[in-house]
Amino acid sequence: DLCYQCKLCYNHCPYTPPHHWQVDFPRLMLRARAAAARAGGVKLQDRFLGNTELVGKLGSLTAPLSNWMSKLPAHRTFMEAVAGIHRKRNLPAFHRETFSKWFDRRKPARFEPQARVALFATCSVEYNDPATGKAAVAVLERNRVKVILPGQRCCGMPHLDGGAMKEARTRIADNVRTLSAAVRQGCEIVVPGPTCSYMLKREYPWLDGSDEARLVAAHTHDLFEYLMRLHAGGRLDTGFRKSPGRVAYHLPCHLKAQNMGTKSAEFLRLIPGAHVEVVERCSGVDGTWGLKKEYYDLSLKVAEPLFQEIHAARPDSVATDCPLAALQIVQGTGRIARHPIHVVADAYGLEIE
């Protein structure tokens, strides 16, 4: 129950491949949850927290009323009693215009594309933070990358957290179908959220097992992983206009688990005048675990070293790719943590509607 799937034990465990035991402890924990759910059913708390699509659609449909209600002490007490979300936990806001609605109505920039990508927006961007999706599209188009938005559902990780394997596999199969079609049409898949990119890369071939799932995994990139590929190929626009100054960049666990280095920080350091300090501390809120009333206090205790290092850095701004880590940073430090793509968009001088 205390495992919140940060995945980092895998990187440090001596029994992973090439050891002949080849024990994958994060997946062992997922199997244990799946077995418990099969034997005793999925808990109501996990059904609610795992269904990010339903919660997101309802929250966005009723915004800004839903945002106002989430701040009422009486409503938070009710949510704690029914859904098990701690009454003090920061919650993301909902937006009436979702990212996909904005994407459908916008006028794409006109340019001769040097590449095409399929954006896997993530539930967080779709319902809670469309501004990050808008910034990602603007930066990609600035670099002459055509962006499409294929049909997509939740990546499935929230359902895995509660052992709801059937629901997770249904969403995975739907995503594999639409994303593999995009790859066959010449697109790379770009993801602005570390948990979702981890799922597509590492868990889809395991849980789905199809050739299409392996195709999706092979062509999936974290957003900054993709941008740094453009830079390595000499295809990145480096005409930055504004320096972000001192940036404390929190490296999410699910990016560390992908063994891809610190691509976001590397990109930010390309901006003239940027001073980036990487904070490699766990936020202790991965997935749905840190939202639960049982683990709220422990979650903050796990994240205390992160809070201390951010305070010590005395940055002009704080950045993290993980939306839940951003909530935790605000909770523990009072500092707003933005996705680093916003820092890049500001440096380019892009105006985003």
Side-chain angles (χ1 to χ4, degrees), residues 18-342:
H19 194 282
H20 66 280
W21 286 1
Q22 299 192 30
V23 179
D24 186 324
F25 276 96
R27 288 181 178 171
L28 181 62
M29 296 297 101
L30 289 177
R31 287 179 68 91
R33 289 181 183 174
R38 176 175 291 184
V42 179
K43 298 176 183 177
L44 175 62
Q45 181 188 45
D46 288 321
R47 287 195 180 279
F48 178 79
L49 290 173
N51 201 337
T52 54
E53 289 176 324
L54 178 60
V55 173
K57 288 176 181 177
L58 291 176
S60 296
L61 183 65
T62 58
L65 176 62
S66 56
N67 297 326
W68 174 74
M69 289 186 64
S70 71
K71 297 177 182 178
L72 294 177
H75 184 65
R76 292 307 303 269
T77 300
F78 173 78
M79 289 180 63
E80 182 176 280
V82 175
I85 301 175
H86 198 283
R87 67 186 69 185
K88 294 183 181 179
R89 168 58 68 192
N90 278 355
L91 296 177
F94 294 101
H95 291 258
R96 189 64 178 269
E97 183 180 60
T98 61
F99 172 71
S100 59
K101 288 180 180 178
W102 169 84
F103 192 89
D104 289 342
R105 72 165 177 81
R106 77 189 185 102
K107 294 181 179 179
R110 294 185 178 182
F111 54 87
E112 184 64 31
Q114 64 171 331
R116 299 175 71 242
V117 301
L119 187 68
F120 187 83
T122 78
C123 293
S124 174
V125 166
E126 172 69 359
Y127 302 112
N128 309 118
D129 188 20
T132 290
K134 296 175 185 179
V137 171
V139 170
L140 287 166
E141 290 187 340
R142 170 66 179 252
N143 285 278
R144 295 189 296 113
V145 176
K146 181 177 176 59
V147 181
I148 69 167
L149 189 67
Q152 53 197 259
R153 303 191 67 184
C154 169
C155 71
M157 175 59 87
H159 286 293
L160 293 182
D161 284 341
M165 297 299 295
K166 180 181 178 180
E167 291 82 354
R169 282 199 165 101
T170 297
R171 283 149 182 78
I172 290 169
D174 288 345
N175 287 331
V176 165
R177 176 176 50 81
T178 57
L179 295 177
S180 62
V183 172
R184 295 187 190 283
Q185 293 169 6
C187 292
E188 295 294 295
I189 303 165
V190 171
V191 189
T195 299
C196 298
S197 60
Y198 182 94
M199 278 289 292
L200 269 62
K201 287 182 181 181
R202 301 292 178 87
E203 307 294 35
Y204 275 26
W206 172 56
L207 290 166
D208 188 271
S210 64
D211 290 339
E212 287 77 11
R214 286 186 283 273
L215 180 68
V216 168
H219 290 269
T220 295
H221 315 274
D222 169 74
L223 174 58
F224 278 91
E225 181 183 22
Y226 182 80
L227 291 172
M228 287 304 292
R229 283 185 61 181
L230 293 181
H231 176 62
R235 297 182 294 161
L236 183 75
D237 184 341
T238 56
F240 301 109
R241 299 179 180 179
K242 179 182 176 182
S243 170
R246 295 182 59 84
V247 181
Y249 168 69
H250 164 251
L251 177 62
C253 295
H254 289 170
L255 285 185
K256 292 177 70 175
Q258 294 180 41
N259 293 319
M260 51 176 272
T262 55
K263 300 301 183 186
S264 300
E266 291 173 24
F267 190 103
L268 294 180
R269 290 184 179 122
L270 298 176
I271 304 172
H275 299 276
V276 183
E277 181 168 340
V278 177
V279 180
E280 292 193 50
R281 296 288 189 176
C282 183
S283 66
V285 73
D286 297 277
T288 62
W289 187 85
L291 302 181
K292 296 178 178 179
K293 62 182 180 182
E294 304 96 307
Y295 310 122
Y296 172 77
D297 292 328
L298 182 56
S299 173
L300 290 175
K301 185 176 181 180
V302 169
E304 186 59 34
L306 168 63
F307 303 152
Q308 292 177 357
E309 289 198 21
I310 288 176
H311 282 307
R314 296 183 178 181
D316 297 312
S317 61
V318 182
T320 182
D321 311 81
C322 177
L324 291 177
L327 287 177
Q328 185 81 308
I329 289 169
V330 175
Q331 191 104 42
T333 68
R335 297 290 301 265
I336 299 296
R338 300 193 301 165
H339 194 289
I341 199 66
H342 290 288

